[in-house]
Amino acid sequence: MSSVPSLRVVGRPEPTSPKLSLRSVSKTYRQSSGELVRALDDVTLDVAPGEFVCLVGPSGCGKSTLLDLIAGLERPDAGQVLMNGRPIAGPGPDRAVLFQEPTLFPWMSVIRNLEFALGLTGVPKADRRELAMHWLSKVHLSAFASAQPHEISPGMRQRAVLARALACQPEVLLADEPFGALDAQSREVLQRELQTVWLETRNTFVFVTHNVREAVFLADRVVLMSARPGTLVAEHRISSPRPRSFEDVLLAKVVVDVHDHLLKEVQKVVATEEGVRPGLA
Amino acid sequence: MSRPRRAFGQVWPRVAILVVLVLAWWAVYATGLWDRVLLPSPASVWTALWSNLSGAGGLLVAAERSALRLFLGLAAAAVIGTPIGLAMAASKIVQRSIGSLMVGLQALPSIAWLPLATLWFGITERAVFFVVVMGATPAVAIATAASVRLVPPTLIRAARTLGSRGGRLYVRVVLPAAVPGYIAGLQQAWALAWRALMAAELIVTGARGLGHFLERAGAVFDTPLMLATMVAIMLVGIGVDGVFTLVDRRVRSRRGLIPSG
């Protein structure tokens, strides 16, 4: 990140031992056409324990790739991805992932989905039901515990996925535009609920979105990525007190500020490069 | 919709097509344009069906024998074809080698195996069984491979992030996710097995199944019994298909793959 000095401007002292740490990470894909795509280029990012980081950027900027690397679903070509200072070897229940499409297993009821996940983390069978109900009640789904996934709305499904993730009590939560496919109203309800549960659990959170408003509402820190190859361009700390509210005029102003700040950084990047890359602003 | 009305909606189209068919048949018969020995009347077919139904040499016993053969043949095809299909889905090398072989075998009408089978096993029950298994196994294998390959990758990714991997991921997530496609494959396989069985029974007459009835009726020029046997073969088919459709519906509606109701 040293190549982008602006990142340090609003920074606070680096925590001594970050929960997550990406060190000069690069990742290249070969598309089915055979073309090589540099998804991530020399990305360095630290996430402190209990910090809520939102990654914002245009589609195709490598946000999802970055998340896959932390989840352990992919390996970097170069650089290191560390959790608690140790390289991430593969996926594991200590890092739960919320994908854009709800990933409940369709042949299991909602509560069985949670019990299945709890079983994988080693919770004894006798304790699973009670724990599952506890986390379902946190997202207001107690009444739908025995429903099949297709019987509840997309928003409820995503809440069930959130409950399943939280039930495993992961050290890190990763989310890849989890509310992107929902209608505006359900999205706002879920954003509020996520804030409420997160204020209780305080997991380290890396949340990918292309929605600045969502990012400002949720995050301690918003990090902007640029596209092709994906790099970190700028970041902005959100110090507004929690719980935050969408009706809050001050927060709305922060959204505008962050938007402007990010826009300026994008223009700087564009200006320093030869080719103009449309679609970033 | 109320329950009786729904039942009515289920039944009337089936009755209607039957009535239309019988009426058309009867009309052709009544004109006398077609030789009445070659095209018997619906009534005489009904009589043939009814009078040959029960008894030790009756259609019911023959249908039971054929249905049992179908069941055993399909079960054997599932036991052999399923692991082959799973291996095809798991390995590109197996897919390219054994997978191609399965496609080739599926292109081969299973009755083509019968001459060889009678040389190997004689004109016996075993020859019939062999032909049925050869008819259904490739379909089971190909459908199994396809159903596993079509499991949504996000489900597998989600399971991996929850800490599931290796054999347990396969058994607890991949296989259950493949079940609807697998059932559809079995539904295709039973139809192939049933055709193979009828053809084999026509020739291996000692097997005394429905196919044998058809052969016997042909030998004595008993056209009403021929048509009655064909009706019986179709009825067994509709029954077996009904069972599969029921299972398929249950599984799919449980997963929201079809609108319930």
Side-chain angles (χ1 to χ4, degrees):
Chain A
M1 239 189 284
S2 50
S3 58
V4 189
S6 65
L7 281 172
R8 307 268 175 218
V9 173
V10 286
R12 63 184 174 199
E14 295 262 328
T16 42
S17 59
K19 173 61 70 177
L20 289 171
S21 192
L22 287 87
R23 305 241 157 276
S24 308
V25 169
S26 297
K27 178 77 186 173
T28 303
Y29 278 110
R30 186 178 289 279
Q31 284 184 325
S32 48
S33 62
E35 190 190 343
L36 287 173
V37 175
R38 198 149 179 79
L40 289 175
D41 187 40
D42 194 24
V43 169
T44 295
L45 175 72
D46 282 344
V47 181
E51 191 182 19
F52 200 126
V53 171
C54 276
L55 293 173
V56 181
S59 39
C61 72
K63 303 182 298 247
S64 301
T65 305
L66 203 152
L67 222 55
D68 283 353
L69 291 172
I70 302 174
L73 291 166
E74 298 283 348
R75 283 169 182 281
D77 299 333
Q80 277 186 306
V81 185
L82 310 168
M83 183 162 88
N84 301 323
R86 283 184 298 277
I88 286 167
D94 51 352
R95 282 151 291 136
V97 188
L98 310 175
F99 296 96
Q100 179 165 359
E101 51 285 48
T103 49
L104 294 175
F105 302 110
W107 57 93
M108 301 178 193
S109 65
V110 170
I111 193 160
R112 281 280 304 123
N113 264 279
L114 269 74
E115 289 172 351
F116 173 72
L118 286 167
L120 288 169
T121 59
V123 173
K125 200 159 196 160
D127 303 339
R128 287 179 207 163
R129 173 126 314 201
E130 198 186 332
L131 258 175
M133 278 313 288
H134 167 77
W135 287 103
L136 280 178
S137 71
K138 288 263 181 224
V139 297
H140 312 293
L141 276 182
S142 314
F144 297 91
S146 53
Q148 291 297 121
H150 72 94
E151 292 167 335
I152 58 179
S153 72
M156 289 159 99
R157 266 174 244 159
Q158 208 55 290
R159 261 148 64 190
V161 173
L162 176 63
R164 185 175 69 182
L166 291 169
C168 300
Q169 297 190 284
E171 290 182 54
V172 175
L173 265 163
L174 306 167
D176 190 358
E177 301 200 31
F179 310 143
L182 302 178
D183 60 272
Q185 254 177 328
S186 322
R187 192 181 312 154
E188 223 172 277
V189 172
L190 271 152
Q191 286 159 351
R192 281 177 220 274
E193 277 190 16
L194 179 63
Q195 171 175 255
T196 311
V197 276
W198 181 78
L199 282 174
E200 282 181 45
T201 60
R202 293 279 181 176
N203 313 68
T204 308
F205 215 131
V206 180
F207 190 106
V208 162
T209 177
H210 57 245
N211 183 334
V212 173
R213 188 163 171 263
E214 178 173 73
V216 169
F217 179 74
L218 291 171
D220 293 314
R221 183 157 57 117
V222 178
V223 177
L224 177 78
M225 289 183 74
S226 76
R228 305 261 159 133
T231 47
L232 304 188
V233 179
E235 66 173 27
H236 199 112
R237 286 193 185 277
I238 315 295
S239 48
S240 311
R242 289 190 173 96
R244 296 172 187 161
S245 145
F246 283 115
E247 292 79 31
D248 187 345
V249 182
L250 289 174
L251 195 72
K253 192 181 171 307
V254 176
V255 173
V256 175
D257 287 349
V258 172
H259 213 282
D260 288 349
H261 176 198
L262 298 182
L263 207 60
K264 262 189 215 127
E265 295 300 336
V266 171
Q267 280 157 352
K268 250 193 256 172
V269 172
V270 173
T272 55
E273 287 178 10
E274 303 236 304
V276 176
R277 281 183 283 167
L280 274 174
Chain B
M1 245 198 295
S2 66
R3 226 183 148 79
R5 271 196 67 180
R6 232 177 24 210
F8 179 73
Q10 288 277 320
V11 168
W12 81 259
R14 295 177 164 90
V15 174
I17 186 67
L18 193 67
V19 169
V20 168
L21 267 177
V22 171
L23 279 179
W25 173 9
W26 186 81
V28 173
Y29 174 80
T31 60
L33 288 174
W34 209 288
D35 190 322
R36 288 190 174 175
V37 175
L38 297 180
L39 183 73
S41 72
S44 65
V45 171
W46 177 255
T47 312
L49 188 65
W50 200 243
S51 60
N52 283 288
L53 206 56
S54 50
L59 279 166
L60 277 181
V61 175
E64 201 185 304
R65 254 188 227 121
S66 294
L68 182 66
R69 284 193 191 108
L70 173 70
F71 176 75
L72 292 176
L74 194 60
V79 168
I80 301 165
T82 307
I84 293 177
L86 294 179
M88 280 161 63
S91 149
K92 279 204 170 108
I93 295 171
V94 176
Q95 168 64 26
R96 281 170 197 157
S97 56
I98 295 178
S100 307
L101 179 67
M102 287 295 130
V103 173
L105 285 177
Q106 202 183 27
L108 189 69
S110 47
I111 196 62
W113 282 103
L114 192 66
L116 202 56
T118 52
L119 284 181
W120 289 350
F121 305 110
I123 304 180
T124 62
E125 184 81 23
R126 282 163 70 197
V128 175
F129 183 72
F130 179 77
V131 168
V132 173
V133 173
M134 290 312 286
T137 301
V140 173
I142 290 168
T144 304
S147 64
V148 170
R149 240 180 267 120
L150 288 176
V151 171
T154 40
L155 274 191
I156 297 171
R157 283 158 56 91
R160 287 177 64 204
T161 60
L162 290 170
S164 185
R165 56 169 170 240
R168 290 192 60 185
L169 171 74
Y170 199 70
V171 172
R172 301 286 305 272
V173 176
V174 176
L175 293 186
V179 163
Y182 182 70
I183 291 172
L186 282 187
Q187 199 160 7
Q188 207 186 9
W190 89 256
L192 288 167
W194 187 236
R195 286 163 200 218
L197 178 63
M198 288 303 105
E201 282 185 351
L202 256 177
I203 293 161
V204 183
T205 51
R208 296 192 166 276
L210 281 175
H212 170 57
F213 245 91
L214 208 52
E215 191 273 337
R216 210 179 59 186
V220 297
F221 226 71
D222 187 346
T223 46
L225 185 57
M226 279 185 216
L227 280 160
T229 310
M230 286 163 68
V231 168
I233 293 172
M234 286 198 283
L235 287 178
V236 173
I238 290 172
V240 176
D241 191 71
V243 172
F244 273 103
T245 304
L246 206 72
V247 174
D248 181 64
R249 283 224 164 175
R250 279 193 69 122
V251 169
R252 286 156 68 83
S253 78
R254 209 178 141 68
R255 297 175 185 214
L257 294 172
I258 41 171
S260 51

